[in-house]
Amino acid sequence: MASSVEAWVDEVSQTTHPDKVVWCDGSDAENERLIGQMLSDDTLLELNQDVHPNSYLHRSNPHDVARTEHLTFICSTTREEAGPNNNWMPPAEAQERVWPLFKDAMRGRTMYVVPYLMGPAESPYSKVGIEVTDSAYVVANMRIMTRMGQVALDRLEHDGDDWVPGLHSLGDLSPDRRFILHFPDTRQIWSVGSGYGGNALLGKKCYALRIASVMGRDQGWMAEHMLILELQAPDGDVMYVAGAFPSACGKTNLAMLRSPFEDQGWRVRTVGEDICWINVGPDGRFWAINPESGYFGVAPGTSYHTNPNAMETVQSNTIFTNVAVTDDGRVWWEGMDGPVPSQLTDWLGNPWTPEDGTPAAHPNSRFTTPATQNPALSSHWEDTKGVPISAILFGGRRSTTVPLIYRSFDWAHGVYVGATMASETTAAATGAVGVLRRDPMAMLPFLGYNMADYWRHWLDMGSRASNPPAIFQVNWFQRGEDGKFIWPGFGQNMRVLRWVYEQVRGKNGNSRETPVGIVPTASAIGAEELGLSSQQADALLAIDRDAWLKEVEDQGAYLDQYGERLPAELRAQQRRLLDRLQKVPA
Ligand code: GTP
Ligand code: SPV
Ligand code: MN
């Protein structure tokens, strides 16, 4: 044990005053003890153990069901370092306003010290964190989501003082006394007042994205909100694709896609489904690792029809949060296969019938499940040097304007596409759902510094790589006049991946150039086979000049916020896009 860890734990307990301090080793015995304890104090409820072996239900506080972005802050020395993309709190104010919330916060509670490793055990890119928490539920989730215990302590022997402290307390769970703070200069995390997901599992968004993005900027690598998938072509050729989609916009589902063309040899396997750390390799390519070891996935919409691999993964050893439950102890959520049960207990613990008209499972209900249970897990998911990325997909929820897929012309154009992407908000964060907002690289809620500097970093990373990935934008979420999604999505996204593969491998037929980028033909995505009308295929792939003129204007206004810090290259890309669109006859 590094003495720096002991000193910090000591210091924290002198403020939080726990009744007991438990150093977690991540063992089965320890986990069983914690589960037993959580069953007895109702933190966990037992599910039908024949159907869901070693799986449990947790109902969170009803006011604590998603990330709270308005209570999330970057505590850099100056406001400019945090940028217009972040809430900023000066470190002195954090000390004054937030530190007192930790005073005596753990009286009557146990303080767990959780050492964890983000990334594969032997990878040079993996990093250690220590989370101190008074929530046993957080410990049980961290055990699934990270490599916890001895493996992290072993790593600490090598890395010495290079670890990130994360202090977490449930506090009183009131949103009025909830803060999620990140100190980029000292690389520390404080989180109080929430026990939910990205607010409380500090290895995930707080470390692996917000703090790691700052480390990546300083050390020449990238921490991204991306899935990583392995795509296999019929001749056995393998390609790795990364994808940045905002929260609840389809990363887990794409990473776990079961191909409808498996009999022809087109397959997808999962490397990661939420976070990706990228280094430039000696061969000039981007090499990516998945720092996590489990999936914290959105439950609603998951079914044997949409995502059979996920359904098989969550069969056992899974913690379900805020889902509904049947009278015989089976989990249920909206979108699950089969008829809607005539009665359930909803996510709040109340009796529920379909006539109630409310969702039985919370829209942001989740499963926490080990990656190793995924039947489609890539055999390379723990490769110490990572996997080489050939394509990056940027995607969001756009009812209109953005086509199913297009390819950018080059790296700088691709960075522009990522920098200006927008998406309709989802239940993954508290606040209004369905509101269109710019969410650059799907990192708006997850970047630890000024977005303009991040774009500069992206441009630089592309120059450092002699062979950077091709960049695409995707949109599974265009709606027709009936308000329904036009594209079938899920497994059928394989058709889009197939076109991506052909593009990257230089088979450039089946496409046409537009002012926005390179778009597939309707036959390349099998529009006819899917029974789409020519009108629907058109809507999926067309570039509406007037809509795009508005879009580009709005993109420009968004970039303006970053003032002098905005890389000139992005402004130039915006002008060129506008120019190309204006040349199209009205
Ligand atoms: P986070 O874990 O919040 O980062 O979300 P995510 O990006 O991993 O999204 P996820 O794959 O969990 O999907 C979120 C929601 O979108 C779920 O309800 C899915 O069923 C739905 N979804 C995913 N892929 C598709 C798709 O291709 N088409 C449609 N229509 N819905 C999709
Ligand atoms: C997201 O919101 O992007 C998630 C879920 O992956 S949470 O861990 O709660 O941030
Ligand atoms: Mn996510």
Side-chain angles (χ1 to χ4, degrees):
M1 175 66 51
S3 58
S4 57
V5 176
E6 279 168 352
W8 177 67
V9 169
D10 241 27
E11 184 198 317
V12 166
S13 26
Q14 278 165 32
T15 294
T16 57
H17 286 116
D19 279 14
K20 207 164 97 178
V21 178
V22 171
W23 292 75
C24 296
D25 60 13
S27 65
D28 289 344
E30 173 185 272
N31 189 52
E32 277 159 33
R33 219 160 42 234
L34 283 175
I35 302 252
Q37 196 182 303
M38 286 189 279
L39 286 170
S40 64
D41 69 12
D42 289 340
T43 302
L44 291 184
L45 303 170
E46 191 154 74
L47 293 165
N48 184 326
Q49 293 295 299
D50 296 329
V51 183
H52 303 292
N54 198 26
S55 299
Y56 304 92
L57 168 65
H58 172 71
R59 294 196 185 114
S60 73
N61 180 297
H63 301 292
D64 187 29
V65 294
R67 283 182 298 101
T68 38
E69 295 179 1
H70 61 296
L71 305 174
T72 302
F73 293 82
I74 301 301
C75 303
S76 45
T77 316
T78 65
R79 184 187 290 277
E80 289 64 40
E81 286 164 87
N85 47 296
N86 276 306
N87 301 314
W88 175 66
M89 190 185 289
E93 186 183 332
Q95 200 67 43
E96 224 167 89
R97 249 175 98 194
V98 180
W99 185 250
L101 298 176
F102 289 104
K103 289 223 165 92
D104 293 321
M106 298 187 188
R107 258 196 218 283
R109 299 181 188 174
T110 299
M111 176 168 116
Y112 301 96
V113 183
V114 179
Y116 63 94
L117 182 68
M118 299 309 290
E122 303 296 328
S123 171
Y125 306 127
S126 299
K127 297 199 169 291
V128 176
I130 311 280
E131 175 163 357
V132 154
T133 177
D134 54 13
S135 161
Y137 166 82
V138 164
V139 178
N141 277 269
M142 285 293 282
R143 182 168 181 272
I144 298 174
M145 295 305 294
T146 72
R147 287 136 177 116
M148 176 181 144
Q150 197 53 45
V151 62
L153 297 178
D154 289 348
R155 181 60 174 245
L156 211 52
E157 304 254 305
H158 284 249
D159 291 6
D161 280 346
D162 192 9
W163 56 278
V164 167
L167 169 57
H168 173 251
S169 173
L170 294 170
D172 63 6
L173 290 179
S174 164
D176 297 334
R177 283 171 293 282
R178 180 179 302 163
F179 293 95
I180 298 93
L181 305 189
H182 308 74
F183 300 83
D185 296 335
T186 52
R187 294 181 184 158
Q188 292 192 54
I189 304 155
W190 295 354
S191 167
V192 64
S194 168
Y196 196 88
N199 286 345
L201 311 177
L202 301 186
K204 197 173 178 55
K205 307 300 181 171
C206 300
Y207 185 170
L209 290 177
R210 297 192 192 99
I211 296 292
S213 64
V214 173
M215 293 175 162
R217 175 198 63 189
D218 297 344
Q219 300 165 1
W221 54 281
M222 301 160 97
E224 300 298 330
H225 191 202
M226 289 180 181
L227 69 95
I228 310 166
L229 66 81
E230 179 181 296
L231 180 59
Q232 189 180 318
D235 62 1
D237 184 24
V238 163
M239 172 182 286
Y240 294 91
V241 178
F245 311 165
S247 304
C249 290
K251 289 181 300 302
T252 301
N253 279 272
L254 190 67
M256 300 183 88
L257 180 148
R258 188 169 297 175
S259 166
F261 310 117
E262 234 167 87
D263 55 342
Q264 296 166 31
W266 288 103
R267 282 203 63 149
V268 167
R269 294 185 181 87
T270 317
V271 176
E273 51 85 64
D274 196 53
I275 299 180
C276 163
W277 287 355
I278 300 172
N279 285 270
V280 178
D283 60 357
R285 290 192 289 177
F286 276 20
W287 288 78
I289 62 163
N290 168 15
E292 300 188 284
S293 63
Y295 308 154
F296 185 61
V298 175
T302 309
S303 68
Y304 281 97
H305 175 67
T306 58
N307 192 345
N309 289 326
M311 293 303 281
E312 287 173 28
T313 306
V314 304
Q315 271 319 305
S316 58
N317 307 309
T318 297
I319 300 171
F320 296 93
T321 300
N322 294 340
V323 301
V325 63
T326 63
D327 292 348
D328 59 347
R330 295 163 189 259
V331 296
W332 192 86
W333 49 74
E334 278 69 19
M336 199 182 256
D337 313 79
V340 177
S342 57
Q343 64 176 51
L344 288 164
T345 304
D346 72 7
W347 68 277
L348 291 158
N350 296 324
W352 180 95
T353 68
E355 288 73 51
D356 290 349
T358 55
H362 188 277
N364 191 39
S365 55
R366 299 254 169 182
F367 50 77
T368 318
T369 197
T372 49
Q373 294 183 183
N374 175 3
L377 189 62
S378 161
S379 58
H380 296 285
W381 86 285
E382 293 191 290
D383 279 9
T384 53
K385 63 183 191 311
V387 295
I389 301 297
S390 299
I392 290 174
L393 315 180
F394 288 123
R397 273 178 199 265
R398 295 292 302 261
S399 307
T400 65
T401 314
V402 176
L404 179 65
I405 177 150
Y406 68 93
R407 179 184 181 163
S408 65
F409 297 117
D410 55 30
W411 183 257
H413 178 225
V415 173
Y416 175 82
V417 168
T420 55
M421 68 190 254
S423 190
E424 290 144 21
T425 51
T426 67
T430 56
V433 168
V435 180
L436 187 69
R437 69 171 185 185
R438 301 277 154 209
D439 187 349
M441 282 82 173
M443 283 289 279
L444 178 68
F446 305 120
L447 187 67
Y449 61 101
N450 190 308
M451 189 68 78
D453 300 351
Y454 170 72
W455 294 329
R456 161 64 43 219
H457 187 50
W458 263 80
L459 292 165
D460 291 347
M461 287 289 290
S463 318
R464 272 183 49 210
S466 51
N467 196 0
I471 297 180
F472 299 78
Q473 181 161 37
V474 299
N475 177 22
W476 315 142
F477 299 99
Q478 269 191 81
R479 291 179 194 267
E481 273 159 19
D482 57 2
K484 292 191 180 140
F485 295 125
I486 304 173
W487 180 248
F490 301 104
Q492 297 301 339
N493 293 332
M494 186 65 223
R495 295 169 184 275
V496 173
L497 292 177
R498 197 169 53 185
W499 184 78
V500 165
Y501 175 88
E502 287 167 0
Q503 284 286 309
V504 171
R505 288 290 185 251
K507 297 166 193 150
N508 292 336
N510 289 328
S511 62
R512 79 193 161 91
E513 189 170 324
T514 77
V516 167
I518 296 156
V519 174
T521 58
S523 67
I525 56 157
E528 210 169 306
E529 278 166 70
L530 288 170
L532 297 169
S533 67
S534 60
Q535 211 183 351
Q536 286 175 315
D538 239 28
L540 284 174
L541 299 171
I543 304 297
D544 176 337
R545 178 184 180 270
D546 291 343
W548 269 94
L549 282 170
K550 276 208 201 81
E551 175 74 18
V552 176
E553 190 187 333
D554 194 67
Q555 292 175 347
Y558 179 71
L559 297 179
D560 284 344
Q561 283 183 75
Y562 293 90
E564 295 284 283
R565 261 176 131 113
L566 180 74
E569 179 61 35
L570 294 188
R571 177 55 67 195
Q573 288 290 338
Q574 194 245 356
R575 287 210 195 91
R576 261 178 265 159
L577 174 55
L578 185 60
D579 200 45
R580 291 195 298 270
L581 283 162
Q582 281 170 340
K583 285 198 184 114
V584 178

